Amino acid sequence: MTAHPFTSRFAVRSGIARVTLAGELDLDSAPAVLEAVSACLEEEATSLCLDLTGVSFCDCAGLSSLYRARTAVLRTGADLTVEGVGPQLGRLLHLIGAEELFTGRSTHTESPHRASGTAAARRGVRAVATAESQLRRLA
């Protein structure tokens, strides 16, 4: 039995969805992430907030499920906001260079692949593209 059992809750109101995850996000609980996000998208959510505040642990299977959920949301053209990335998940994201994928706001109009003309912006886009490719290998 895990120290922090996993829970997943979601709600959709007026096209705005919120998925709240808590506990240990690992191989056993990872499928629940995409199930909750998919249920929200089936209700035609135009904006989704993924609340990770209660996630106490995340392994590579959990990280892969978060990436798949992110991809599913952005493919629909919905806005995605991620809240509450804790220290353990933050460190994991940092280790693989994927902090930018799950921090702040990502929308379909703010694609990381659309670079402005500055060299710094192009470096940032390359870093995000590299992180996405590393996460794809986990998926």
Side-chain angles (χ1 to χ4, degrees):
M1 182 170 183
T2 61
H4 302 284
F6 183 79
T7 61
S8 169
R9 295 187 329 255
F10 69 92
V12 181
R13 290 184 189 96
S14 302
I16 299 172
R18 183 172 194 86
V19 175
T20 304
L21 307 176
E24 296 182 3
L25 182 51
D26 56 19
L27 184 61
D28 293 330
S29 58
V33 175
L34 195 53
E35 288 171 13
V37 168
S38 294
C40 292
L41 296 175
E42 286 175 10
E43 293 189 36
E44 299 181 8
T46 58
S47 178
L48 188 138
C49 177
L50 189 57
D51 183 355
L52 306 175
T53 304
V55 174
S56 58
F57 172 79
C58 183
D59 67 7
C60 61
L63 185 58
S64 177
S65 71
L66 291 174
Y67 176 73
R68 287 182 182 145
R70 177 185 182 273
T71 301
V73 171
L74 296 179
R75 272 196 189 131
T76 67
D79 291 336
L80 174 66
T81 304
V82 179
E83 295 178 352
V85 174
Q88 189 272 329
L89 178 55
R91 179 165 161 58
L92 181 59
L93 291 169
H94 175 74
L95 287 172
I96 65 167
E99 304 104 318
E100 293 182 27
L101 296 179
F102 295 101
T103 57
R105 183 174 169 84
S106 299
T107 69
H108 64 283
T109 58
E110 298 169 357
S111 170
H113 300 290
R114 293 184 184 151
S116 68
T118 67
R122 286 191 298 274
R123 280 193 303 275
V125 168
R126 280 195 299 271
V128 169
T130 300
E132 284 182 337
S133 113
Q134 289 171 334
L135 281 171
R136 274 192 212 102
R137 282 187 291 228
L138 291 173

